[in-house]
Amino acid sequence: MSGFGTSQAMRRVEDLRLLTGGGQYVDDIAPRDALFGFVFRSSVAHGEITTLDVSAARAAPGVVMVLTADDLAAAGRDTAMSASIIKNRDGVKGAAPKRPLLAEGRVRFVGEPVAFVVAETLDQAKAASELIVFDVESLPVKLDVAPGGGVDLHAEAPGNVAYTWETGDADAVGRAFEAAAHVVELTVDDTRIIANSLEPRGCFAEIEDGGIHVCVNGQGVWGPRDDLAKFLGFTKDEVRVTNPDVGGGFGMKAMSYPETFIVAHATHALGRPVRWMAERTESMLSDNAGRDLICTARLGFDADHKLTAYSMDSVANLGAYNSGYAQFIQSELFAKVLPGVYDVRDVFMRNVGVYTNTTQVDAYRGAGRPEAIYVLERAMDYAARELGVDPLALRRKSFIPTEKFPYTSAVGEIYDVGDFDRVLSRAEQEADLAGFAARRAASEAEGKLRGVGLCYYIESILGNPEETATVAFEEPGIATLYVGTQSNGQGHETVYSQFVYEWLGIPPENVKIVQGDSKRIAKGGGTGGSRSVTTQGTATKAASEAVVARFTPFVADLLEVEADTVSFGEGSFRSDGSNRVMTVLEAADEARAAGREDLLRTSETTTLPGRSFPNGCHVCELEIDKDTGVVTVEKYTVVDDFGNLMNPMLAEGQVHGGVAQGVGQCLSEAVVYDESGQLLTASFMDYGMPRADNLPMIAFYSEPVPSTANVLGMKGCGEAGTVGAMAAVGNAALDALWPLGLRKVDMPFTPARMWAMLREAEGRAIAAE
């Protein structure tokens, strides 16, 4: 349907509410009589706790409770946080040391929760925390990711190695390298970042209906509900978890954190609501970080420059403990797109996870796939320069041909469709690569270096392929759609309303979207892995079709015609045997009046038969000021294959946001610890968040090849911008610096680092004279 249906660039329906102060965020809706919680955190990166005296804090004005690990244990709580553990190459599970809710005996990173103060006001809680006596006998601090060395953080992980994971046939790859005409090797650093969502983490809890309600700004409610029920000793029905409006997640809010459990315990113990909200520096110290790994890629090519073998060795920083999905991010999830878009059969990957005295590392926009594409595409560009061939031509030589789809990759992923050469050709045209030489010459005339880099990415849509949609008619003139996903700002209310309009003809203003409530929605997969619109759209289509099928006999009776003469289209039921037309909302009103409650709620659960694989090409042009080291992105072009776009404007917005995060990591976002494990970039004064003036206008184009892995032909787009951006920027920097003899070019390309690289090149040039 036109206007507001799918494939239309409909403006976001939620924006008016959000931009005029109508947002319902955790800190807005916490109970007015709630107590305030404040976390006392370790100021030491590694050491044995010798003194933890909270008696003075407990006696401070306004303080209602102070919790330590001993208090949780005395209350009979299981204080170990859960995490998914991967299997080593020998089949034995990786290390699973206990991560306590509050520090037990030893602290392992600056920012680790040690005690929780609950008071009548936040100022009273903060003041009381300053009375806590906390002494630590320091231990050596491990910050590097080299296995071994230093003091073991956990007895379960000798040498601080959490796991060693492998996939592929190492012997076959070795033989392929021996037979290769050319072998190119490159090591790149994928630096640590802090997610820095606009809204910091927060939660509150309150007693409700004999159980407990916990509101947390996360990315799903059912996992936290199950974990909280187990922690509190409740049944699942006694725990209600809600996600209200959420101001950004990016994967960082997809897992549970200690504060949610501690707040729930305090509420249960006191019988009063308790609220907690992180401050920005607190978030930087305690939120799960992203990336942070070192990768070495080896590429083998035949005499015609076709890729024949690929191996990848990486060491990943897990931080001090296992987080929810950390062990899987740089191993299994990375490997999903290990071979990228290339027709290469001999691949091997080894990934080692290492504990360090830093904040935990887990999912961040793309969760393993940006890391995989970054090293592969940096290596492909590097190989093109080493071999003296055009980077586009080198890629085209090894692209998976269109006639080979569906294609089972060397790691077992089934790419359903793709036309990579077509997308690359469109990117070449739209980015005006033919005119780059002239633009480079113009930059050189101004005393600046100019480089162009591209990245051809592919990503695998992750998460539960199952989702449920419920269409309910609970009030006159309104259709309520219950969904199992969770918006963190992506525009779900808009696109889901478009779905309902497309398939049931109900205008967006008559559609209410309900999400993030474990009491009102039986199950769902939450948000993550770019799954939301694909899985939820498929389920919503099935539910909409079921609504039509269930209402058809009822409408036939109202129209006094046979059911097989009733059809539905353009939002209305009609019959050739009647001149009456009835909309779905009108039919629902008639059913309500007739007492047909059975028609007023329809649920359908669908499971996608396979994953979709969004792919595309990013082209970045940047300039480097040789005197200052300042890097400026001058031109940025994206051509994506997202299959059928449900809302082109929202898809483009997702790409813009993803590119900003990828460019931000490349140009300015540098996490820095000193030798004692203190975070030196713990505020926006020190951490280089990308700003509007760091980016040009981003040109976005769609070159769709509809997916066959879902009935809508869609491919997820939420993380694609970040997956493609990092290597495009990195390769552009390499291109600009290559003529100077620089070969090791690693992000972040801050002015200071770039200036140092330029001076290094000058020194080499002088020495060569």
Side-chain angles (χ1 to χ4, degrees):
M1 295 177 67
S2 61
F4 304 113
T6 58
S7 300
Q8 302 299 312
M10 174 181 158
R11 291 190 175 185
R12 290 168 37 125
V13 300
E14 55 267 76
D15 283 354
L16 179 63
R17 172 174 63 85
L18 297 176
L19 293 174
T20 56
Q24 297 290 290
Y25 297 93
V26 165
D27 217 30
D28 299 321
I29 61 176
R32 292 184 179 274
D33 61 340
L35 300 166
F36 287 82
F38 182 78
V39 182
F40 177 81
R41 298 182 183 276
S42 175
S43 57
V44 178
H46 197 197
E48 300 289 346
I49 301 173
T50 57
T51 304
L52 179 57
D53 186 351
V54 299
S55 57
R58 284 181 171 142
V63 172
V64 179
M65 170 183 277
V66 179
L67 291 170
T68 67
D70 289 343
D71 298 310
L72 294 176
R77 302 299 188 203
D78 180 356
T79 59
M81 295 194 66
S82 62
S84 299
I85 306 300
I86 203 165
K87 288 185 178 180
N88 287 299
R89 58 187 172 190
D90 59 6
V92 176
K93 280 195 169 185
K98 180 179 182 180
R99 179 187 176 188
L101 295 174
L102 294 170
E104 298 177 358
R106 184 190 287 197
V107 290
R108 293 177 171 86
F109 69 98
V110 173
E112 182 168 3
V114 175
F116 189 71
V117 182
V118 181
E120 296 289 347
T121 70
L122 182 57
D123 286 342
Q124 289 173 331
K126 287 182 177 180
S129 72
E130 295 179 2
L131 302 176
I132 294 174
V133 180
F134 177 64
D135 290 323
V136 174
E137 182 178 334
S138 294
L139 292 170
V141 174
K142 180 174 177 57
L143 298 176
D144 64 85
V145 294
V151 174
D152 290 346
L153 274 67
H154 306 285
E156 298 89 341
N160 291 307
V161 174
Y163 64 85
T164 300
W165 184 87
E166 293 181 355
T167 189
D169 187 334
D171 292 336
V173 172
R175 291 190 295 271
F177 279 129
E178 290 177 1
H182 310 281
V183 177
V184 178
E185 181 175 304
L186 178 69
T187 297
V188 295
D189 296 342
D190 198 333
T191 51
R192 175 181 288 227
I193 60 85
I194 300 173
N196 283 315
S197 55
L198 186 62
E199 179 199 24
R201 290 189 298 111
C203 62
F204 69 79
E206 60 187 342
I207 304 301
E208 180 181 88
D209 299 332
I212 194 168
H213 167 218
V214 179
C215 179
V216 57
N217 53 6
Q219 293 178 220
V221 296
W222 295 274
R225 178 203 60 186
D226 296 350
D227 291 343
L228 283 164
K230 180 180 178 182
F231 172 71
L232 295 169
F234 286 5
T235 66
K236 293 179 183 179
D237 290 339
E238 293 174 313
V239 178
R240 178 188 176 210
V241 175
T242 60
N243 293 155
D245 287 327
V246 178
F250 311 119
M252 180 269 293
K253 292 179 181 173
M255 61 293 297
S256 294
Y257 287 84
E259 295 85 0
T260 309
F261 297 92
I262 298 168
V263 166
H265 169 79
T267 293
H268 181 247
L270 295 171
R272 294 182 61 182
V274 177
R275 63 193 294 174
W276 169 78
M277 195 75 195
E279 297 176 346
R280 182 57 62 183
T281 291
E282 184 178 14
S283 291
M284 290 178 153
L285 289 170
S286 63
D287 290 354
N288 292 331
R291 317 300 187 218
D292 204 346
L293 66 158
I294 299 173
C295 304
T296 298
R298 294 187 77 209
L299 304 176
F301 298 90
D302 65 17
D304 195 36
H305 299 145
K306 164 75 167 62
L307 184 63
T308 59
Y310 177 41
S311 73
M312 213 287 301
D313 278 274
S314 67
V315 184
N317 188 347
L318 298 175
Y321 299 96
N322 296 323
S323 181
Y325 314 113
Q327 291 197 11
F328 284 82
I329 299 295
Q330 308 305 347
S331 52
E332 282 198 359
L333 301 193
F334 187 116
K336 296 289 185 189
V337 294
L338 177 65
V341 291
Y342 304 115
D343 185 16
V344 54
R345 306 312 303 170
D346 289 320
V347 301
F348 175 74
M349 173 184 171
R350 176 185 294 111
N351 170 238
V352 179
V354 176
Y355 296 116
T356 66
N357 293 117
T358 62
T359 308
Q360 288 65 239
V361 179
D362 207 306
Y364 175 65
R365 201 166 192 166
R369 288 102 78 212
E371 295 89 327
I373 296 301
Y374 179 67
V375 62
L376 174 57
E377 287 297 289
R378 286 297 311 271
M380 286 294 287
D381 242 49
Y382 183 82
R385 300 178 198 287
E386 285 285 296
L387 298 174
V389 300
D390 177 65
L392 280 73
L394 187 70
R395 289 173 170 86
R396 286 189 168 108
K397 289 267 188 183
S398 298
F399 275 161
I400 301 165
T402 55
E403 63 269 16
K404 283 195 173 184
F405 290 97
Y407 177 87
T408 302
S409 77
V411 292
E413 292 295 296
I414 302 175
Y415 297 175
D416 57 336
V417 292
D419 193 339
F420 307 142
D421 186 72
R422 188 176 98 194
V423 174
L424 180 61
S425 296
R426 177 79 183 276
E428 182 180 12
Q429 171 194 339
E430 300 293 353
D432 184 26
L433 292 184
F436 172 73
R439 294 191 293 275
R440 171 174 266 175
S443 295
E444 289 175 352
E446 296 179 0
K448 297 181 179 180
L449 301 171
R450 193 178 190 102
V452 63
L454 70 89
C455 168
Y456 201 110
Y457 79 90
I458 191 167
E459 68 157 325
S460 169
I461 300 309
L462 302 176
N464 190 343
E466 179 183 287
E467 198 50 82
T468 299
T470 299
V471 178
F473 303 96
E474 299 168 331
E475 52 187 304
I478 296 293
T480 301
L481 177 66
Y482 291 85
V483 299
T485 54
Q486 174 64 42
S487 177
N488 299 157
Q490 300 95 325
H492 287 182
E493 291 178 42
T494 300
V495 73
Y496 295 166
S497 296
Q498 288 181 269
F499 288 155
V500 176
Y501 179 75
E502 177 77 15
W503 299 317
L504 291 177
I506 301 173
E509 61 268 24
N510 296 99
V511 179
K512 181 189 297 184
I513 308 298
V514 175
Q515 60 178 356
D517 190 329
S518 66
K519 282 287 188 185
R520 302 181 70 184
I521 307 165
K523 61 180 178 178
T527 289
S530 300
R531 69 179 291 275
S532 294
V533 176
T534 306
T535 55
Q536 196 67 66
T538 301
T540 302
K541 186 175 192 297
S544 299
E545 292 171 346
V547 166
V548 172
R550 296 182 68 205
F551 267 96
T552 296
F554 176 73
V555 170
D557 289 342
L558 293 176
L559 300 181
E560 298 180 335
V561 297
E562 295 297 322
D564 59 6
T565 69
V566 176
S567 62
F568 183 81
E570 296 297 315
S572 296
F573 293 97
R574 54 178 48 84
S575 172
D576 294 338
S578 172
N579 60 2
R580 291 181 62 190
V581 175
M582 183 172 291
T583 67
V584 172
L585 289 177
E586 290 170 340
D589 289 342
E590 293 284 356
R592 189 178 299 106
R596 290 293 304 274
E597 298 294 324
D598 58 303
L599 294 177
L600 300 181
R601 190 177 187 89
T602 299
S603 295
E604 288 292 328
T605 298
T606 57
T607 301
L608 301 183
R611 282 192 288 272
S612 61
F613 291 86
N615 62 89
C617 185
H618 289 221
V619 182
C620 172
E621 283 188 36
L622 53 76
E623 275 189 340
I624 303 171
D625 188 310
K626 290 190 286 187
D627 294 327
T628 65
V630 171
V631 180
T632 306
V633 177
E634 296 292 332
K635 182 179 173 64
Y636 203 99
T637 307
V638 180
V639 177
D640 279 319
D641 169 15
F642 292 149
N644 296 330
L645 295 177
M646 296 298 102
N647 184 317
M649 184 175 67
L650 293 186
E652 184 172 359
Q654 286 292 295
V655 171
H656 286 182
V659 168
Q661 287 181 297
V663 171
Q665 181 178 354
C666 286
L667 296 190
S668 60
E669 294 190 57
V671 175
V672 180
Y673 289 92
D674 71 9
E675 65 279 0
S676 67
Q678 296 292 330
L679 180 63
L680 301 181
T681 49
S683 76
F684 287 154
M685 293 290 290
D686 304 297
Y687 186 82
M689 287 291 287
R691 301 173 184 271
D693 60 358
N694 295 134
L695 286 165
M697 296 301 291
I698 299 168
F700 170 80
Y701 304 94
S702 177
E703 195 67 34
V705 181
S707 175
T708 60
N710 60 82
V711 296
L712 303 177
M714 298 161 45
K715 301 173 183 178
C717 65
E719 295 160 307
T722 307
V723 179
M726 292 158 53
V729 177
N731 287 335
L734 178 66
D735 182 55
L737 297 172
W738 190 271
L740 304 183
L742 292 175
R743 300 296 181 262
K744 178 70 172 170
V745 178
D746 279 324
M747 60 182 178
F749 305 118
T750 59
R753 284 172 57 89
M754 186 58 71
W755 188 87
M757 283 189 275
L758 291 168
R759 301 295 78 80
E760 176 192 346
E762 283 183 358
R764 289 181 180 179
I766 292 171
E769 292 178 355

